[in-house]
Amino acid sequence: MTTPTSSDPATEVAATDLKPKGLAVLKAAFRERRTLAMLLLGFSAGLPFAMLIGTLNAWLTEAQVSIATIGILSWIGLFGAFRFLWSPVVSWIPPVIGARFGRRRSWLLCLQVVIAISLGLVALSRPESGVLGPLALGAALGAFAFATQDIVIDAWRIEVADERVPIDLLSTIYQLGYRTAALAGGAGALLLAEAMGWPGVFATAGLLMGLGLIGTLIAPEPTPTSQASVARERRGSPTLRLAVLAATLLAWGWAAFMLIQFMVEALTVTPAPSARDFTATWGPWIVAATVILPAALAGLIVWKGRAATAAEGAAAPKLADTLYDAILAPLVELMGRLGWGAVVVLCLILTYRITDGVWGPFAFPFYMGTEGGALGHTNAEVALASKTFGVVMTIVGIALGGWALLAIGRMWSLLLGAILTSATNLLFVDLAQGAPNVGAFMSATGLYGLFGAFQIGEPLSRLMVVIAGENVAGGFAGAAFVAYLSALSNKTFGAVQFAVFISLALLIGTLGRGALGELVEAQGYAPMFIIAAWLGVAAIVFVLIEWVRLGLEARKAPAA
């Protein structure tokens, strides 16, 4: 086989121009079944999260289940934060039906059936009777299954992307499906509960998981990863690889012990420990042991090691190499590819979504409380502003983010998202201080009159406008962020790498919440939002540094 060494420049330009660009990519992509599959898979990812993490608490509250018991069930949310612990298993071991449907699709089919069954178990429970066994089992099973499903969907999205259906577009479509499910499983479920009761709502959600099954069946199976490409990451001597693997397994074993111990205590100890407190206290240590330490050791392998010779690769026990390929090879590849840039990438991931994540638990106290600048709205008003109008605005933001990714590019979109999420915190500062600027803006633009036509008073209309700004910014930034992380992941190791990225982004938001709570009690809500805005400035700085890093890499690529 020969490779041409030169060609006519005019021909090259013409060939390039035939590729769809900008919004033309969107038109070309929707002729592909991958985009429809991505939309349905995004819906199947968002629905169980909305039902089991949020809406279930509304049913329990209505059934007059104690706050302590609801707290016991809250630990199921940890499955999402720590899913990277079992991502290597999902990445490399197919379920029993894998021979027919392929590794990714067979996992999706199994997990979607499990999620549907778990929602059915919840539907069969009767929390008002005080018997919570079936409900707890269904909720825990469903949370584990949807967290695992997220690993597979993320890997599938990374692996099937190409120039015709780029990762930016697939990431945006996934977000649209996810947020649509959040609207259906949030406000939609609350409305449906009035008509058919909570068991019917959860049974309906179980049936709606059939949309995910359809998405899985029409989704193409990605090309399996070449074992040779994985084996190339077996760098250094067998002794070094075994030592690093042993240290990593010990760290992961400790993390698993801590998680299991907490879960047992949550189910057996009264009063139950707080999942939020556990994550805030032990989350950083678990992340350090299970992500930071293995990443550092992977960097050591890259620094000290070299590509293993055939003899060295054969010298290590087969089981050790198998575990190394599943657990450490993704991190070795990442550290080897990024080099010093890994520090920049890590800082960007840790700071990008912290502006809204860090104060998320204080949102409802701010909306509904009466002290420290809180707004004093009712449950119904907050449900309208946040759970209905707010989710719609998030979807609008995602759509705008998808347009920006295709029209102005990934890094411009990432930077704009960081600026918007930082700036919109200042709107909440204004609300906490009595809304002098927001109120003046709404009077000048006639927005008070527009909302008044729908019988919405001035205080609620101000909240809705500020939530609209914050959620549009959050949706925009979320689309850009997921696209960036997806592009950052190597197709060969996408499942593990993306799971690590998302886990870091989720867990970092828990840091400092205890101190923020004390700050709110002492000084009110306005200082908290000011701090969040400054944290957003840090994200802007890291985006700019990452942009420079990518530019330097791009200039080096032709020379290489």
Side-chain angles (χ1 to χ4, degrees), residues 6-21:
S6 63
S7 61
D8 181 15
T11 304
E12 290 183 354
V13 172
T16 302
D17 288 342
L18 290 176
K19 298 177 182 178
K21 297 179 179 179

Side-chain angles (χ1 to χ4, degrees), residues 396-456:
V396 171
I398 292 169
L400 291 173
W403 170 82
L405 284 165
L406 298 175
I408 64 177
R410 186 180 305 135
M411 293 309 296
W412 270 114
S413 301
L414 199 67
L415 178 61
L416 184 57
I419 294 171
L420 289 174
T421 52
S422 177
T424 50
N425 279 281
L426 300 179
L427 297 176
F428 286 98
V429 173
D430 192 69
L431 277 187
Q433 294 175 340
N437 298 304
V438 172
F441 170 79
M442 296 186 68
S443 295
T445 56
L447 285 174
Y448 276 143
L450 177 62
F451 280 95
F454 295 94
Q455 304 301 310
I456 298 175

Side-chain angles (χ1 to χ4, degrees), residues 302-395:
V302 172
W303 178 53
K304 297 285 288 184
R306 49 184 169 74
T309 64
E312 288 175 332
K318 184 176 181 180
L319 176 60
D321 273 344
T322 300
L323 292 174
Y324 177 94
D325 290 346
I327 297 171
L328 282 172
L331 296 176
V332 170
E333 188 280 332
L334 185 68
M335 299 300 292
R337 173 160 47 93
L338 296 180
W340 67 268
V343 177
V344 178
V345 170
L346 177 63
C347 292
L348 194 158
I349 293 171
L350 293 179
T351 58
Y352 193 79
R353 296 314 307 273
I354 197 174
T355 50
D356 49 4
V358 72
W359 63 262
F362 304 104
F364 285 114
F366 174 62
Y367 299 155
M368 302 167 65
T370 57
E371 298 179 356
L375 305 179
H377 290 289
T378 65
N379 286 346
E381 289 173 339
V382 173
L384 172 64
S386 179
K387 293 299 183 183
T388 305
F389 185 71
V391 173
V392 172
M393 289 299 101
T394 300
I395 293 174

Side-chain angles (χ1 to χ4, degrees), residues 79-267:
F79 283 120
F82 293 103
R83 63 192 179 195
F84 63 88
L85 290 174
W86 60 92
S87 59
V89 176
V90 179
S91 180
W92 297 107
I93 302 177
V96 292
I97 63 172
R100 178 174 181 181
F101 293 99
R103 183 177 58 192
R104 300 302 185 206
R105 296 204 306 157
S106 58
W107 267 115
L108 287 173
L109 289 171
C110 290
L111 291 167
Q112 286 158 355
V113 170
V114 171
I115 293 170
I117 292 173
S118 71
L119 291 170
L121 286 174
V122 174
L124 292 174
S125 65
R126 295 295 180 266
E128 60 275 2
S129 68
V131 179
L132 297 177
L135 185 145
L137 176 62
L141 180 65
F144 177 79
F146 78 64
T148 308
Q149 181 191 226
D150 286 350
I151 297 171
V152 185
I153 292 175
D154 293 335
W156 180 86
R157 181 178 67 249
I158 293 166
E159 291 169 351
V160 302
D162 56 22
E163 290 184 352
R164 183 176 178 83
V165 184
I167 191 65
D168 294 350
L169 178 62
L170 287 175
S171 299
T172 301
I173 292 174
Y174 168 80
Q175 288 274 303
L176 286 172
Y178 193 98
R179 295 299 178 177
T180 302
L183 181 61
L190 293 174
L191 294 174
L192 194 61
E194 295 291 331
M196 60 191 308
W198 288 110
V201 169
F202 278 84
T204 301
L207 293 175
L208 285 175
M209 284 304 298
L211 294 175
L213 290 172
I214 295 172
T216 299
L217 292 174
I218 67 174
E221 176 66 17
T223 303
T225 300
S226 166
Q227 192 60 38
S229 63
V230 178
R232 280 198 295 269
E233 301 306 327
R234 295 178 191 168
R235 307 187 185 197
S237 67
T239 302
L240 177 61
R241 296 201 303 271
L242 283 173
V244 169
L245 178 62
T248 300
L249 290 176
L250 284 173
W252 282 39
W254 172 80
F257 169 77
M258 294 297 295
L259 289 171
I260 294 171
Q261 181 186 50
F262 170 75
M263 293 174 184
V264 171
E265 289 181 358
L267 294 172

Side-chain angles (χ1 to χ4, degrees), residues 377 442 447-448 451 456-466:
H377 290 289
M442 296 186 68
L447 285 174
Y448 276 143
F451 280 95
I456 298 175
E458 291 186 0
L460 181 57
S461 65
R462 288 195 296 267
L463 177 63
M464 292 178 70
V465 166
V466 171

